[in-house]
Amino acid sequence: MNIQQRATLDDVARLANVSPKTVSRVFTQRDLVSAATVERVLAAAKRLKFRPNSVARNLRGGASSTVGLIIGEMLNPFYSRVATGLEKVLSEHGKTLIVATTDDTAEGEERVADTLLSQRVSALLMIPVGEDQSYLEGERQLGSPVIAIDRPARNLVADSVVMENRNGAFEATRSLMEHGHRKIAYICNPANVYTQVERLRGYREALAGTGKAAATPWERLIDDPAIDPVHVVSELLDIADPPTAIIAGNNRMCVGVLRALHGKDNPPALIGFDDFDTADILGVSVVSHDAMEMGRRAGELAMERIADPTGFTQQLVLPTRLILRGSGERPPLAS
Amino acid sequence: MNIQQRATLDDVARLANVSPKTVSRVFTQRDLVSAATVERVLAAAKRLKFRPNSVARNLRGGASSTVGLIIGEMLNPFYSRVATGLEKVLSEHGKTLIVATTDDTAEGEERVADTLLSQRVSALLMIPVGEDQSYLEGERQLGSPVIAIDRPARNLVADSVVMENRNGAFEATRSLMEHGHRKIAYICNPANVYTQVERLRGYREALAGTGKAAATPWERLIDDPAIDPVHVVSELLDIADPPTAIIAGNNRMCVGVLRALHGKDNPPALIGFDDFDTADILGVSVVSHDAMEMGRRAGELAMERIADPTGFTQQLVLPTRLILRGSGERPPLAS
DNA sequence: TTGAAAGCGGTACCAA
DNA sequence: TTGGTACCGCTTTCAA
């Protein structure tokens, strides 16, 4: 096998006996070139295995054909659904998706943002992790739109797509209350992020009724990825006045709770946040939201902002939906 | 908000009163520049919010800092685990990952391969879908290594990372036989792909014992994404001589079978291929393999091939492991 | 240690 | 309909 040289516009031009510019036209504005020339050029291109270099192409215009997405990790189905929705939109617009992950750390976020911006992505989409995205302010002014997904960016002017966290949690809590529960737990990890803060608020408001929303004895707000949900749940159920129902703050936590409750005789009611693949089989009630739709909307927002960087920034709020499948309708144990 | 111009090397050079080349050195071979100059340049760069353009940088060398990955879809946890492992390796090498999806169609594959190659990815990794990847042969000769993951490429010289499909299926079948099963079904969709062909072979060989491996009455080899697994399973269990055990060819099919068996009184034994998130909770026995490891190995292979495009191509085979969690140990119904 | 000039693979502008 | 020329942002010679 011999490594050949990759053919360039000039090579094709020479072989086809036209100017490089004409070759360029054939690949971009074909209708401006006579049919005969087009044919000749294409033949030459094929013979030389020529393929336009979109990198060089974009060097001129400034705007590249890539869009960057920063997420915590691809294993999380929530993240990958967002990526899926986004990729769909991008491919419709002839853009490709560069995915970078941060392992859910703020340092990682800044590092990969830097890398992506060096690649001159035409927009930077992200599910923010850090407490502060002000480091991107300069970029935005330089014309790289930033779109925050799932959580708004902080200290940065950016469009965002979020969902009705508070209301989702409110409705889940109310539903549990309607089934007779009063001692309802809320467990999440991490806790110190926008989505959890909002959900917690909805949970507290529902429990407070018309009173003043306040912390409850059944909240477990954890901020340590190393902590095993199973342990937390077991401990929670062993306290003096244990909850009769649990709301799990996200999909990971929900699966953890399921694992903890597995085999238990009279499990508390359970409602999770985020739907997941086998939730129907396991009969798990969840507050569902359309993560793919979030990705899609974020992508559209990005396209919009690329076309008009000066427009007003928007915040899109997508609805949530309570899906009852059994685990959320279990009544409290008669005591 | 005013959109400014993005600063270039030259702008920085002008402000720092040095030549562009010196600025370039500061960002690439800093030790060749005097400390005082470095400082001056960095100050100027900071003031102008300069960020080196890695696209322009790579234009010269030919090799870009991106690697392309073509997968069917990101929603499939198997694919996203592969992507995760790959991304880890790439980020260690300072490369970024461009992900493109094909919706598991051959046309999609060729289309996105074209897009990625136009971006001059330094390597093209893919989980092949189409029957034929010969359309990439030219590229390989042009120096773009191709690495096939999960299934070998066809009609193309390419490295690949696959797993012990045949043996995995063989062991699963043997395990079921040891639990007393003789009428064992194999269900998959799609069926006409390398992995399934191999697994089917392992299944048949186990059933044949020392005899000649042949098709069994309990095979359901489907090739239509629109067909509902639930339906197939129900039908299979209604035949005159129904199976007492089922092997599901992949994670999707396994969840489908679970759904179909859900609520059934005396469900057949079940072993799935590919582990999944809640398999432990559901007590599902599976043939497990490390998809992240596949991605990782594929990434390493890519780095190797980028460094030395003329080396021998390799095929890596990763092991599988049978995990028994209950569903695979159910004995056949006494009849 | 620093700089000048050419060029990477294309495109935009203007002219023919 | 086609071509010439400059230039995108940076790096690579080679010299100073």
Side-chain angles (χ1 to χ4, degrees):
Chain A
M1 145 190 170
N2 55 333
I3 302 280
Q4 316 164 18
Q5 204 54 59
R6 205 180 279 280
T8 71
L9 259 189
D10 291 21
D11 298 328
V12 177
R14 219 167 299 131
L15 183 60
N17 244 316
V18 293
S19 80
K21 176 66 218 188
T22 299
V23 178
S24 168
R25 284 205 187 88
V26 169
F27 284 94
T28 48
Q29 329 169 58
R30 189 161 302 178
D31 41 320
L32 294 184
V33 183
S34 74
T37 311
V38 168
E39 200 172 338
R40 204 143 39 88
V41 169
L42 287 181
K46 183 159 188 187
R47 201 141 99 64
L48 296 175
K49 288 175 185 158
F50 170 75
R51 184 191 304 277
N53 182 335
S54 73
V55 174
R57 174 131 75 197
N58 292 137
L59 187 55
R60 195 89 215 280
S64 84
S65 61
T66 57
V67 163
L69 172 67
I70 302 180
I71 56 180
E73 44 151 348
M74 275 178 286
L75 291 183
N76 190 318
F78 171 70
Y79 291 144
S80 59
R81 280 201 288 263
V82 168
T84 303
L86 173 60
E87 205 260 353
K88 288 237 162 69
V89 173
L90 295 187
S91 75
E92 285 167 14
H93 288 258
K95 303 237 176 213
T96 56
L97 175 64
I98 303 189
V99 186
T101 61
T102 63
D103 289 321
D104 280 319
T105 65
E107 315 79 66
E109 175 180 308
E110 223 174 310
R111 189 173 40 73
V112 300
D114 201 73
T115 308
L116 293 182
L117 289 167
S118 285
Q119 310 245 30
R120 295 295 188 267
V121 290
S122 57
L124 189 57
L125 301 253
M126 64 193 304
I127 299 182
V129 186
E131 297 283 290
D132 175 50
Q133 278 74 43
S134 62
Y135 66 95
L136 291 172
E137 178 58 20
E139 292 308 321
R140 190 187 59 84
Q141 289 175 12
L142 258 31
S144 298
V146 178
I147 319 274
I149 306 176
D150 192 42
R151 317 159 190 169
R154 305 182 68 171
N155 305 319
L156 174 71
V157 180
D159 297 272
S160 59
V161 184
V162 299
M163 53 194 171
E164 286 187 342
N165 291 292
R166 189 147 61 113
N167 190 52
F170 186 90
E171 285 185 350
T173 312
R174 287 300 294 265
S175 170
L176 289 168
M177 292 171 77
E178 279 160 17
H179 283 86
H181 294 276
R182 288 299 172 270
K183 297 179 283 188
I184 303 172
Y186 187 90
I187 314 187
C188 64
N189 182 5
N192 196 20
V193 294
Y194 169 79
T195 43
Q196 297 302 335
V197 171
E198 289 291 304
R199 290 169 192 174
L200 187 64
R201 207 165 128 199
Y203 153 84
R204 286 179 182 170
E205 285 177 358
L207 276 180
T210 54
K212 191 169 175 320
T216 76
W218 306 288
E219 294 171 9
R220 290 297 178 275
L221 315 178
I222 308 163
D223 254 307
D224 180 351
I227 289 186
D228 182 8
V230 173
H231 181 69
V232 178
V233 173
S234 306
E235 214 174 55
L236 176 63
L237 296 179
D238 277 348
I239 63 174
D241 192 25
T244 61
I246 298 178
I247 297 177
N250 61 30
N251 52 359
R252 279 291 154 83
M253 186 49 85
C254 184
V255 172
V257 173
L258 281 175
R259 223 161 251 148
L261 299 183
H262 194 225
K264 280 234 185 331
D265 267 346
N266 289 298
L270 169 65
I271 296 184
F273 240 96
D274 306 339
D275 207 357
F276 60 95
D277 220 21
T278 52
D280 58 334
I281 300 174
L282 288 161
V284 179
S285 304
V286 296
V287 178
S288 151
H289 54 264
D290 195 339
M292 267 185 63
E293 178 68 11
M294 284 187 80
R296 220 176 286 128
R297 299 297 282 273
E300 285 162 5
L301 223 41
M303 295 303 116
E304 214 175 290
R305 198 54 70 232
I306 290 172
D308 172 23
T310 63
F312 287 101
T313 58
Q314 336 181 6
Q315 175 161 94
L316 263 45
V317 180
L318 303 184
T320 58
R321 192 163 53 93
L322 181 61
I323 304 179
L324 295 177
R325 294 197 181 102
S327 75
E329 298 95 292
R330 288 195 286 260
L333 272 189
S335 56
Chain B
M1 144 187 174
N2 55 332
I3 302 280
Q4 317 163 17
Q5 202 54 59
R6 205 180 278 278
T8 71
L9 258 189
D10 291 26
D11 298 327
V12 178
R14 222 167 297 131
L15 183 60
N17 243 315
V18 294
S19 80
K21 175 64 221 188
T22 300
V23 178
S24 168
R25 283 203 188 91
V26 169
F27 284 96
T28 48
Q29 328 170 60
R30 189 161 302 179
D31 42 319
L32 294 185
V33 183
S34 75
T37 312
V38 168
E39 201 173 333
R40 204 143 39 87
V41 168
L42 287 181
K46 185 161 187 188
R47 199 141 100 66
L48 296 176
K49 289 174 184 158
F50 170 76
R51 184 192 303 278
N53 182 334
S54 74
V55 174
R57 175 131 74 197
N58 293 136
L59 186 55
R60 197 86 212 278
S64 83
S65 60
T66 57
V67 163
L69 172 67
I70 302 180
I71 55 180
E73 43 151 350
M74 274 178 286
L75 292 183
N76 190 320
F78 172 70
Y79 291 145
S80 59
R81 281 202 286 266
V82 169
T84 302
L86 173 59
E87 206 259 354
K88 286 236 163 68
V89 172
L90 295 187
S91 74
E92 285 166 14
H93 289 258
K95 302 237 176 212
T96 56
L97 175 63
I98 302 187
V99 185
T101 61
T102 62
D103 290 321
D104 280 319
T105 65
E107 315 80 64
E109 174 179 309
E110 223 173 312
R111 189 172 40 74
V112 301
D114 201 74
T115 308
L116 292 181
L117 289 167
S118 285
Q119 311 246 28
R120 295 298 189 266
V121 290
S122 57
L124 189 57
L125 301 252
M126 63 193 305
I127 299 181
V129 186
E131 298 283 290
D132 174 49
Q133 278 75 42
S134 63
Y135 64 96
L136 290 172
E137 179 58 20
E139 293 307 320
R140 191 187 59 84
Q141 289 176 12
L142 258 31
S144 299
V146 179
I147 319 274
I149 305 176
D150 192 43
R151 316 162 189 167
R154 306 183 68 170
N155 305 318
L156 173 70
V157 180
D159 297 271
S160 58
V161 184
V162 299
M163 54 194 170
E164 286 186 343
N165 291 292
R166 189 147 62 113
N167 190 51
F170 186 89
E171 285 186 350
T173 311
R174 286 301 291 265
S175 170
L176 289 168
M177 292 171 78
E178 279 159 17
H179 283 87
H181 295 275
R182 288 300 170 270
K183 296 180 283 188
I184 302 173
Y186 187 90
I187 314 187
C188 64
N189 182 8
N192 197 19
V193 294
Y194 170 80
T195 44
Q196 296 303 336
V197 170
E198 289 291 303
R199 290 169 191 175
L200 188 64
R201 207 164 126 198
Y203 153 84
R204 285 180 181 170
E205 285 177 358
L207 276 179
T210 53
K212 192 170 175 319
T216 76
W218 306 288
E219 293 170 11
R220 291 298 178 274
L221 316 177
I222 308 162
D223 254 308
D224 180 350
I227 289 186
D228 182 8
V230 174
H231 181 71
V232 178
V233 174
S234 307
E235 212 173 58
L236 176 63
L237 296 179
D238 278 347
I239 63 175
D241 192 24
T244 61
I246 298 178
I247 296 177
N250 61 30
N251 53 0
R252 278 290 152 83
M253 185 50 86
C254 184
V255 172
V257 172
L258 280 175
R259 222 160 251 148
L261 298 184
H262 193 226
K264 280 235 185 333
D265 267 346
N266 290 297
L270 169 66
I271 296 183
F273 239 96
D274 305 340
D275 207 357
F276 61 96
D277 221 22
T278 52
D280 58 335
I281 300 174
L282 288 161
V284 179
S285 304
V286 297
V287 178
S288 152
H289 53 264
D290 195 338
M292 267 186 62
E293 178 68 11
M294 284 186 79
R296 218 177 286 127
R297 299 297 282 274
E300 285 161 4
L301 223 41
M303 295 303 116
E304 215 175 290
R305 198 55 70 233
I306 289 172
D308 172 23
T310 63
F312 287 102
T313 58
Q314 335 180 8
Q315 175 162 97
L316 262 44
V317 181
L318 303 184
T320 59
R321 190 164 55 92
L322 181 61
I323 304 179
L324 294 177
R325 295 199 179 99
S327 75
E329 298 95 291
R330 288 195 286 260
L333 273 188
S335 57

